[in-house]
Amino acid sequence: MSIEKNEEFRPKIVAFCCNWCSYAGADLAGSSRMSYSADVKIIRVPCSCRVNPMFILRAFERGADGVIMCGCHPGDCHYTSGNFYARRRMTLLFSMLDYIGVESGRTRVEWVSAAEGAKFSQTMHEFVDKITSLGKNVRLEDLRCRNL
Amino acid sequence: MYKIAKENLTALFQKIASEQELYLPVKTAGQTNFGVWTEDAQVDLDTLKTVKSPKDAFFPQSETLYTCIRDGKKLKIEPEALKDQNFVVFGMRGCDVKGVEVLDRVFLVDPLDTFYAARRDHGTIVALACHEPEETCFCKVFGVDAADPSAADVATWIIDGTLYWKALTEKGEALTETVKDLLEEDNSADEIVEKEKASVRDIVEKLPYMHLSLEGWNGDVLMEKFEDPLWDELYKPCLACGTCTFVCPTCQCYDIKDYDAGRNGVQRYRCWDSCMYSDFTMMAHGNNRKSQKERFRQRFMHKLVYYPANNEGMYSCVGCGRCVEKCPASLNIVKVIKAFQKQGGEQ
Amino acid sequence: MKTEKNRAELIKEISGVNPLKCMKCGKCSASCPSYNEMDIKPHQFVSYVINEDIESLVNSKSLWKCLSCFACVERCPRDVKPGKLIDAARQIVVRERDNTYLSPDEVPELLDPETPQQLLVSAFRRYRR
Amino acid sequence: MQRIGVFVCHCGTNIAATVDVKKVVEMAQHEPGVVHAEDYAYMCSEAGQELIHKAIKEKKLTGLVVCSCSPRMHETTFRNAAEKAGLNPYMVEIANIREHCSWIHKDIGEATEKAVILMRAAIAKVNLDAPLKPGESKVTKRALVIGGGIAGIQTALDIAEAGYPVDIVEKTPSIGGRMSQLDKTFPTLDCSSCILTPKMGEVNAHPLINIYTYSEVESVAGFVGDFTVEIRKKARSVDMDKCTGCGLCQEKCPSKKSLSEFNRGLSTRSAIYTPFAQAVPNVPVIDREACIKFKTGKCGICSKVCQAGAIDYDQTDEIVTEKYGAIVVATGFDMIKLDKYDEYAYSQSKDVITSLELERIMNAAGPTGGHLERLSDGKDPKEIVFIQCVGSRCADDRGKSYCSKICCMYTAKHAMLIRDKYPDTNVTVFYIDVRTPGKNFDEFYRRAVEDYGVNYIKGQVGKVIPQPNGKLLVQGADLLDSKQILKEADMVVLAAAIEPNPDVRKIATMLTASIDTNNFLTEAHAKLRPVESPTAGIFLSGVCQGPKDIPETVSQAGAAAVKAIGLLAKDKLLTNPCTAHSDELMCNGCSQCANVCPYGAITYEDREVNDHGIRERRRIAVVNDALCQGCGACTVTCPSGAMDLQGFSNRQILAEVDAICR
Amino acid sequence: MQEFVKATSQAGASSHLATAGQRESQTRVINRAKELLADGTVARVLGWKAGDLPYNPEPAYFEKEEDFADFVYNGFCGANLSKYMIEASKLEGKTLVCLKPCDTYSFQELMKEHRVDRDKAYIIGVGCKGKLDIEKIKAMGIKGIQSISGAELEDEAETLTIQTIYGEKTCAYKDAMLERCHVCKGKDHMIFDEIIGESKETKDADRFTEVEKIEAMSPEEKFAFFQKELSKCIRCNACRNVCPACSCRKCVFDSNKFDSAQKANVDSFEEKMFHIIRAFHVAGRCTDCGECSRVCPQGIPLHLFNRKFIKDIDELYGEYQAGADLEPRTPLTDYRFEDAEPGIVAERG
């Protein structure tokens, strides 16, 4: 039983979570002790509509292997309509990334309510698996970041 | 003089590239620019003007100067190594070679630009005479002979499927030594080349821009030209993009910027800048050229007045005509010179 | 493999019905013209599928008593469509009989004027694809 | 450069068991800007806060990072602690190393590594934090209640009793709402009018309450504490001040063919009318669509008979503009339309009626004078069938997905009342489930079964078929006895689902209050803030928020009043400082941000700017801090990045991204 | 040299003769402009001034009657003048602006965004029979150009005749047309005060064909395609600066707000970032005027980015043409409850 742990690919995953639903959902996953990979790091934003496509590209530039955005379910946005705008923005952005040849599994949007700790954990499991299967992001990374 | 059949050029390039880096016109996605030679590169010696000038070879669009690496609360500075390998730039036109001379007068004077100097030291220029100059060319105006790129290390001509090769400097001789096996000495070559030169010069005479007059443009007309109300009109179509400066073989302005690579450190690099850009020479107090008119004027005043004032009357335009071809608003230095000329005529 | 679980899954797949949506209101049974002939009532069909007791279903009289009038499908407030479940159970029976069942081309010549209209409609529905 | 203090909480063993807190502290010390780092068992405790206080003072900290539980838990605690020590509370960032780290990871190495990264992200953010100060806004001490039913009436009374003026806007000519249409109320069977009418009178007489009937909200601007509302007073054609309410005009009006809205169309009324006898105000309105004078120009009888000279045919709609500090929505409900339920023959037979119609029939002031009779032939029904859940609990688009909540109880009430008054009449109730949670509710239902002999059958009715003999054949199933039932009935009563008043959508849009897919107004929190809308200053009363019976409505009305009073009692409001701001030098004035702002917080002004020496007038976006809730929709819409969000700025989020990715 | 001057002036004269009768609409624009200047309706005219080569007219203002000697409107007047109206809106008085049908979409989009002032503009909608791309002509190996005939609006000829110092060449008008004209949105002006000159339909291709071709590629091919194209980018910003939708006073790529101010690509990621974000910022606002691709000195088909977004928007949120109306909401500042989820990208493959 001597698997070389260091050789294993550990993806870097950034998760943008809206304060009102998904961040709370992640909190619930925590308080319910529903584990998911430590490769996921959460950034709290007030609403999914605060997530600028620039943030996502920046994450990839800096070496993230996957970026996931979570928000309130459509219709449940704390700010009424934020996630609707976010949904359109992300759909177009993801489509563009796919268009220029970035594997479409590297980005994901999931709606997670404050009550869906299990869904949060499950989603992160799936996403980490997906990114692990895709391997290192090489198409969008700025090499300066890696070399430095 | 040596010669080599055009179909053997690949062998020549292979030979050069086996010993040093070789830059030459390469076609990628429909456009020809100078690039590094590789086995599968599509070499294009027929296109008269590459989109970008070959100045990249000596003054790259961006280059790292040094890197700061963070280690806890300490900082380590690692300067970038200077170029220490020889390389060859093949296929530069006469105007582009003259362009290097313009850059030399900026970067090789005190304070010496060591990055540039290292590249100049290690670079050998193999120029290619023009065969069919075009209507946008006006090199003759600035004293460049399209038919005879004599300021290079090696001058070459392609005539009827044969490349003629003539070393002009020590560096050129040295390069010639390394490829001698592939070249063939030809004593009758001079005659053929002279004939070609004459024919090219004939064409040059017929080109519309080649007789442009630079009367009234020199280092002594600073205030007169600077304050001319004509600028108020000329700049108007300008979109403030950097096309003219980035395709220009003589534009030498650069900006120094930092790239913050996250937690690992910061890379300081320099990159071409354009006097057309709104944040050109932007300082803490603001911008010393606030309007596009001032920025537009700067470019032409620099080429035709400021530079000559500091360089014994030498202009910093070489008449390559790239800006004429590429300006999205169809503005260019020729139109500017002509506008002043027309105004002079009227007065 | 023909387990009850697989058969129940198959019924759900064929019918496109999620039986768990049933709230046991019984409107299907209330609407059914063949109710009295049936041993398993329409609303019970749903629980048989939920409980994966497909064997009882396929052996029931009800299977062949259903006219496929789809009143239950039309009226079900929960979109459970018991009629579709019954129809799917019949499909299972037919499929499990291998290739002995009729091809759609053979149907017309077997028709006789005594055949109830409902049955014809039912047959057409089934062979529509 | 900030002077940052990092505080790592053990949370007993909650964090410390899986995160090596000492290691986190050590790593913190290597971070640029960090001048202090320590750990403690319970950071949120008095003692923990004392440590923070001391460090701020001694090390002159300018920013804090607390590595602890979720910011949703203790962000406020630590912000307050910072403020007490003289630090701006918004210079505090939380690294969530409990919910997002120690509680979900088992491997200490892994969890510690992650905790360090989360800490670095928080440090990166706090480095770019700027002190923020909440703004202040004034509070107009006046409330608006939209809707004059029992919910609106109760809310208005409670607010007025606390000493604040209240305006009620009611769309119909009288307040009273649905409750005024009811006969008796469960589970006590008091007469609805008897308990409602005194309240209507009280509202009418209250010096602090002003009622706008026959009026609608036209527009709403402003924000919590300072709403400006335009109210359209529809032309009543009767002078409110002059009318004495004698009723002569209604008596003499020759146009008497209009269907009475109050009686659900079961009777007619005159063109000039008050909806019902006890209407408040007791001033009629002219229905201009029905009025002969308005249709032909000839008639004018009402004007002739009115001794007070109150009739005014030239009256026009009037717009009143008022300022309010709080707005309570109490727009109530209606029954759904039954046109999609052909199987119940509602549109085919006059003897298939809705429960609300039954209320009117049973009511002494109703179309039949309180006598239960078939509307088709006036005969006494001997066999009555009640069908439950018509359009409620529906998965398809014919009805509503929710349980309408009140039907089980009012059906029991109807059944009981009928059995009581007409012992010869059989009553059968087809039900799916009988839901009776509520004080004395189940007892009430049991009485209907046990004492009054109401026949409850479990099973939904499949079809109601009108028979040639005038009877109604009800085809149902008794699921418990496993038999199909065919029953001939004289009358069928449908417990139709209730739905929010259709006007609420328009009102919600004006208020920027969110609404769910069923058009119910959304509460700020389903459990903890059930009477507040997520939009500040908007409160919810009654069925507009979800199905409710009268006692629940009244208690919620009181709760909404208390929330409104709590707001009105304040002299000033502190606004959330994490709002958007537009950089005037970068703003294009393109209006895209205003398009996405859910709060109407962005306006534009022409302003002279000095852009590095160039002076020019530009159209610049201006954010109203009091309106902005800080969602950030505008910041992403803005292509130039002129719009940025304080507390969650572009550079801060990017810094967090960088810190995580490295 | 003397000979040359003579030769060209002769050529010029003859070509002038050949087209004199065909320049009718240009003359009508000039006459109308002079009228409006004279009666004070407009303070200046924004049009095109003949260049010193047959194919390089430049956008220019005309304020005096004598300026109009140089006024030109022909197949090489491809520049979209609507963006110049941002600056012109700040000037005293009205500016008469000549807009081609496609330019009017941009103008309307700019109106929507309050960047141009309708009251400061007098719009003459000029006809269009497709604009010419000198790069395409040169790519046919035609060089040393002295004169070009057949580029006038009224020319019936389907062929351009090009005199060069290396001899006379011809090429089909269609073959020299800008890509955008082959997928023209139509020759109707969306907004104008008056229209002068006829147009001729030029659409002969579907504008999404190229996008579809890329969509059908494997991720590796897609990546290689864009890598190759974008590696040519010199970050001259011509695409941005010519774009009527990119009218930000301060571009994010020039500001420190996102740490995104980079003047040149140091890493291949940067040009992708630049072009994706640029396309994203104009998504829903881009009228597909094609100026970005026209001006790119490196011939990068930049419209492929914008059109991808347009295609997605059309497919996901309903057909939308930016600039076709003055409705304030664009697809990205609007939504429907039932909008597709982002997962659709992966689902449709």
Side-chain angles (χ1 to χ4, degrees), chain E residues 271-297:
Chain E
E271 67 249 13
K272 289 190 200 82
M273 176 99 158
F274 175 77
H275 291 291
I276 293 172
I277 293 292
R278 201 185 86 74
F280 190 85
H281 280 180
V282 301
R285 302 160 55 227
C286 166
T287 65
D288 201 6
C289 77
E291 285 286 88
C292 46
S293 292
R294 177 180 72 88
V295 302
C296 178

Side-chain angles (χ1 to χ4, degrees), chain D residues 46-124:
Chain D
E46 276 300 317
Q49 293 188 43
E50 189 47 44
L51 286 178
I52 292 175
H53 192 276
K54 212 172 120 219
I56 292 173
K57 291 283 180 204
E58 284 176 5
K59 301 277 177 73
K60 298 188 170 55
L61 300 183
T62 60
L64 297 188
V65 168
V66 185
C67 305
S68 62
C69 55
S70 171
R72 296 171 56 83
M73 193 72 80
H74 275 307
E75 187 172 59
T76 321
T77 311
F78 295 120
R79 280 187 173 166
N80 290 343
E83 194 169 24
K84 268 185 212 152
L87 192 63
N88 182 287
Y90 293 90
M91 300 301 296
V92 177
E93 294 296 336
I94 310 287
N96 184 346
I97 61 166
R98 192 179 75 177
E99 283 85 346
H100 292 185
C101 187
S102 70
W103 273 354
I104 47 171
H105 306 312
K106 291 192 178 69
D107 184 284
I108 294 184
E110 218 175 73
T112 307
E113 191 189 330
K114 179 168 173 180
V116 169
I117 291 172
L118 294 178
M119 172 196 70
R120 281 182 184 150
I123 292 172

Side-chain angles (χ1 to χ4, degrees), chain B residues 133 135 209 237 240 242 269 273, chain E residues 52 55 84 166 236 241 262-263:
Chain B
E135 75 278 8
Y209 282 176
Y269 66 99
D273 201 350
Chain E
D52 53 358
Y55 53 78
Y84 288 94
Y166 304 109
C236 66
N241 290 15
Q262 310 295 345
K263 283 183 178 163

Side-chain angles (χ1 to χ4, degrees), chain B residues 59 61-63 65 252-258 268-274 277 279-282, chain E residues 261-264:
Chain B
F59 174 41
Q61 181 154 14
S62 57
E63 65 182 316
L65 303 178
Q252 73 275 136
C253 293
Y254 59 82
D255 195 2
I256 294 183
K257 299 188 80 75
D258 290 339
R268 172 152 291 191
Y269 66 99
R270 72 166 165 192
C271 60
W272 296 352
D273 201 350
S274 169
Y277 286 172
D279 57 349
F280 181 69
T281 64
M282 173 81 96
Chain E
Q262 310 295 345
K263 283 183 178 163

Side-chain angles (χ1 to χ4, degrees), chain D residues 549-561:
Chain D
D549 57 24
I550 295 168
E552 255 190 296
T553 296
V554 171
S555 19
Q556 200 201 20

Side-chain angles (χ1 to χ4, degrees), chain A residues 12 19 23-24 26-27 30-31 33-36 38 40 42-44 46 49-50 58-59 62 79 85 89 145, chain D residues 70-72 75 96 99-100 103-105 114 598-599 630-631 633 635-637 644 648-650 657-658 661-662:
Chain A
K12 276 190 203 125
N19 183 45
Y23 195 90
D27 279 358
S31 44
R33 309 300 198 275
M34 294 173 191
S35 98
Y36 51 89
V40 178
I42 296 171
I43 294 179
R44 183 167 68 128
C49 69
R50 180 67 189 90
R58 170 72 154 245
R62 297 295 154 113
Y79 303 101
Y85 296 119
R89 289 168 187 160
C145 298
Chain D
S70 171
R72 296 171 56 83
E75 187 172 59
N96 184 346
E99 283 85 346
H100 292 185
W103 273 354
I104 47 171
H105 306 312
K114 179 168 173 180
Y599 305 101
C631 67
T635 60
V636 183
T637 302
D644 208 348
F648 291 95
S649 71
N650 289 324
V657 169
D658 291 358
C661 291
R662 282 292 97 197

Side-chain angles (χ1 to χ4, degrees), chain A residues 90-91 94 104 107-109, chain E residues 340-349:
Chain A
M90 292 306 135
T91 307
F94 294 178
S104 58
T107 48
R108 179 166 170 179
V109 165
Chain E
E341 293 296 328
I344 193 168
V345 174
E347 282 160 25
R348 66 184 177 190

